[in-house]
Amino acid sequence: QQFLVNFFAAHIEAEKVKRDAAVSTLPGGKPSPCVRLPEKLSNRDMAARIVAAAAREPELLKGPAVTLAQRTLEHDFPCPEGPNTPG
């Protein structure tokens, strides 16, 4: 549970940095896929999604946990496609 709390806190901070870089026209570094989180996401639901992602891409288990969590978000919660899609 603590990992998920820390992961989402870091994710929020990273999004703020990307937004600030875009606003000030500074290079934002390597672009990452757009993720749109749902209004509510329980720790249990996120943990189940991470387990499913590990089953889908077992090679992710060899890397950092944060990479597995990020790939889970990218797969399960992509931004909608469209002309106003951020990122």
Side-chain angles (χ1 to χ4, degrees), residues 8 11-12 35-41 46 73 77 79:
F8 282 115
H11 180 75
I12 289 167
V35 172
R36 176 97 17 104
L37 292 173
E39 292 274 332
K40 294 182 181 181
L41 181 65
M46 186 61 192
L73 293 180
F77 305 109
C79 287

Side-chain angles (χ1 to χ4, degrees), residues 16-68:
K16 287 179 185 176
V17 168
K18 285 195 304 189
R19 182 196 63 220
D20 292 346
V23 168
S24 64
T25 66
L26 296 173
K30 181 179 146 190
S32 60
C34 181
V35 172
R36 176 97 17 104
L37 292 173
E39 292 274 332
K40 294 182 181 181
L41 181 65
S42 71
N43 287 330
R44 180 173 289 182
D45 183 33
M46 186 61 192
R49 289 172 182 277
I50 289 173
V51 169
R56 196 171 48 246
E57 298 183 68
E59 69 278 1
L60 291 175
L61 292 172
K62 296 176 185 172
V66 69
T67 301
L68 174 59

